[in-house]
Amino acid sequence: MDSGRVVVVFFFLLSFLCFAFSPVSSRKVSLALYYETLCPYCSDFITNNLVKIFDNGLISIVDLDLVPYGNARLGSNNSIICQHGPNECQLNNIEACAISAWPDVQEHFNFIHCIEHLVMELRYDEWKSCSQQTGLDSTSVLDCYNSGYGEKLELQYAAQTDALQPSHTYVPWVVVDAKPLYDDYRNFEKYICQAYDGEPPKACEGQALTISQETNANQGDQGLASHAKVSSQASCRHDNIVIGKNIIPIFFFFLMKNEVLYIGSSSSVWLNHQL
């Protein structure tokens, strides 16, 4: 065998070994947050819980999808009626435009985090200041909103939200790898670490890689699903209607079905009846 052929064979073997023993990149964990901008529980989750994965680096193994629509509903001519009124519809559009204008999750999350922090302080009408605070040029966001493209994005989010299986019953509605976390949504980091099939990042250290005792009970997904039958204490439900700028609570009802007690309201009879 001449030297030229030896060299070719050597490099072929070297390439094969490098490919065979190179680390395989693991699939990122899907994390979706279905929310509405003026729900205080959504704002609290975004500013105090979700932000942690950006601080501790867990975002590196997460494919984050923010869906600002929540408990809104479609009216005539595809108009959107938001649970907390026109101001919420406006901010839903603005945040939808931010996600579209800045596909980089770090950028649009920073902007949304800023807005939701203002919501927590009841200063959401100052949302334009978030452009300066984040260092992002909001021209494209304003163009998106003023052109009406934000409304088209919201219709897409409406379809995405309505297609959820199982259907959402409140917001924030947190889904990890297509599985809703129900009332255990604040422990979402545990579920991310559990779902990741690669070498766990440092952020997973100290995380209990098992579902919390409350929702486990050796019932798997059924243990989680049972939480959907009772109102979450930290969520915005379909239990309010908006008249003008006022949020009016609706009388609650109790329904017994298949020996299970459902607690809901007249605006969610059909939804709860389907559970």
Side-chain angles (χ1 to χ4, degrees):
M1 183 180 292
D2 58 46
S3 60
R5 294 181 62 186
V6 171
V7 171
V8 171
V9 171
F10 172 77
F11 277 104
F12 174 79
L13 291 175
L14 182 62
S15 299
F16 173 79
L17 291 173
C18 289
F19 174 80
F21 293 99
S22 61
V24 178
S25 58
S26 298
R27 175 191 63 85
K28 287 188 174 184
V29 178
S30 171
L31 172 64
L33 170 63
Y34 294 82
Y35 72 103
E36 55 196 23
T37 51
L38 292 187
C39 169
Y41 304 106
C42 296
S43 302
D44 177 67
F45 178 73
I46 290 171
T47 58
N48 293 314
N49 297 99
L50 187 56
V51 68
K52 292 179 182 178
I53 67 174
F54 291 88
D55 297 334
N56 62 22
L58 200 58
I59 187 63
S60 65
I61 64 169
V62 168
D63 182 13
L64 178 61
D65 185 20
L66 299 174
V67 185
Y69 180 78
N71 294 331
R73 59 186 176 87
L74 293 179
S76 59
N77 299 320
N78 278 337
S79 60
I80 297 177
I81 303 171
C82 296
Q83 185 174 25
H84 299 99
N87 287 333
E88 181 168 76
C89 281
Q90 180 191 35
L91 286 182
N92 285 351
N93 283 355
I94 291 296
E95 295 192 6
C97 285
I99 295 169
S100 175
W102 303 307
D104 184 280
V105 66
Q106 182 71 66
E107 292 184 343
H108 67 244
F109 180 80
N110 283 347
F111 190 78
I112 290 172
H113 179 274
C114 176
I115 292 178
E116 295 306 319
H117 182 73
L118 292 175
V119 171
M120 294 290 288
E121 296 181 344
L122 302 180
R123 297 167 49 216
Y124 54 83
D125 57 333
E126 301 175 22
W127 65 267
K128 290 182 181 180
S129 66
C130 289
S131 175
Q132 182 177 3
Q133 293 185 42
T134 58
L136 296 168
D137 184 357
S138 62
T139 301
S140 56
V141 173
L142 290 171
D143 289 343
C144 168
Y145 174 74
N146 292 328
S147 69
Y149 186 62
E151 294 180 1
K152 294 181 179 180
L153 293 173
E154 280 298 291
L155 289 175
Q156 295 175 20
Y157 285 141
Q160 181 178 345
T161 302
D162 291 342
L164 279 169
Q165 291 295 331
S167 300
H168 86 289
T169 52
Y170 48 80
V171 290
W173 189 257
V174 181
V175 180
V176 173
D177 273 0
K179 295 182 179 181
L181 303 189
Y182 298 103
D183 286 354
D184 206 31
Y185 66 85
R186 293 189 187 279
N187 291 320
F188 72 103
E189 291 173 285
K190 295 179 182 179
Y191 293 90
I192 292 173
C193 292
Q194 184 183 46
Y196 188 59
D197 57 9
E199 183 69 23
K202 188 174 181 180
C204 286
E205 294 179 5
Q207 291 282 355
L209 299 184
T210 56
I211 300 175
S212 66
Q213 182 178 1
E214 177 186 3
T215 56
N216 188 11
N218 297 320
Q219 297 181 33
D221 290 342
Q222 293 181 356
L224 281 174
S226 66
H227 287 261
K229 296 181 174 63
V230 180
S231 299
S232 171
Q233 294 299 313
S235 62
C236 290
R237 297 182 60 85
H238 294 276
D239 299 327
N240 299 311
I241 58 175
V242 177
I243 300 178
K245 294 184 178 180
N246 299 315
I247 300 175
I248 311 298
I250 301 177
F251 292 108
F252 278 82
F253 73 92
F254 297 85
L255 171 66
M256 191 65 113
K257 179 184 178 185
N258 296 333
E259 298 182 351
V260 177
L261 179 65
Y262 294 85
I263 304 174
S265 70
S266 56
S267 62
S268 57
V269 173
W270 183 88
L271 180 62
N272 283 336
H273 186 68
Q274 300 303 308
L275 292 173

